[in-house]
Amino acid sequence: ILTTILGIVSVTVIGALFIPHWSAIFYVFIFISVLYVDLLGVLQFSGVTLNSVSYIALVMSIGLMVDFVLHILLRYFESTEPTREGKVKETLRTMGTSIFVGTVSTFLGVIPLAFSSSEIFSTIFIAFMALVTLGAGHGLILMPVLLSLTGATESISVGGRSNHNDEKHRDHTAGVVQKNQIDDDDVL
């Protein structure tokens, strides 16, 4: 139990370093904890007993769960969209495909373990399939829904520049484009 708690806490702290917004800590901690409990439930439901192999798979899964959570969160907080719904749509449009492709490739990489007669490989197969299924479901379905309801509307700075300045630059560029379109219409 101590290893699990330390793993979840350390993942949360590292996540807070990469996503410098105070609310990210709560999302990371809650989602990793829920994913871990869900994974324990799936293993129990599948008839996998808690032994050294399943425990190693569970501890490793904490590190793999982070991919589904942090990628969505980081892209959400980097988004310059003004509304929660807009931020979630942009996040799923830009990052959702990458997470889905990672999910499918992990499925394909783990499928050969299903045909193994070894109990060790069978346990790893069940743990990884459950991890990928739960992680993708939570990261691509549950997290976007919760972010659209409770997510922050402000953005974090990207690459040392404030997103506020990026919006000013975009507004200025849009004004130039609109002015050029008006000038082109006047010529016609």
Side-chain angles (χ1 to χ4, degrees), residues 63-162:
L64 297 173
M65 290 176 197
V66 172
D67 289 339
F68 298 104
V69 175
L70 281 184
H71 284 81
I72 293 290
L73 276 175
L74 182 61
R75 186 65 196 122
Y76 177 84
F77 284 112
E78 286 178 347
S79 174
T80 57
E81 293 290 325
T83 64
R84 292 180 185 129
E85 292 82 13
K87 290 167 94 57
V88 167
K89 286 179 184 177
E90 181 182 342
T91 298
L92 289 175
R93 189 177 64 248
T94 58
M95 190 56 68
T97 307
S98 298
I99 291 175
F100 183 72
V101 168
T103 300
V104 171
S105 66
T106 305
F107 272 132
L108 294 176
V110 172
I111 284 177
L113 295 176
F115 304 108
S116 174
S117 60
S118 169
E119 186 178 338
I120 293 171
F121 288 139
S122 176
T123 300
I124 297 294
F125 170 74
I126 292 169
F128 271 63
M129 290 300 279
L131 166 70
V132 171
T133 305
L134 291 169
H138 284 69
L140 294 174
I141 299 170
L142 182 60
M143 182 172 279
V145 169
L146 289 178
L147 286 172
S148 70
L149 297 173
T150 64
T153 54
E154 65 267 4
S155 300
I156 59 174
S157 84
V158 181
R161 291 185 351 183
S162 168

Side-chain angles (χ1 to χ4, degrees), residues 3 36 43 48-61 119-121 123-124 127-128:
T3 307
Y36 192 81
L43 290 178
V48 175
T49 58
L50 191 59
N51 55 30
S52 59
V53 174
S54 61
Y55 188 71
I56 289 170
L58 284 168
V59 171
M60 283 187 344
S61 70
E119 186 178 338
I120 293 171
F121 288 139
T123 300
I124 297 294
F128 271 63

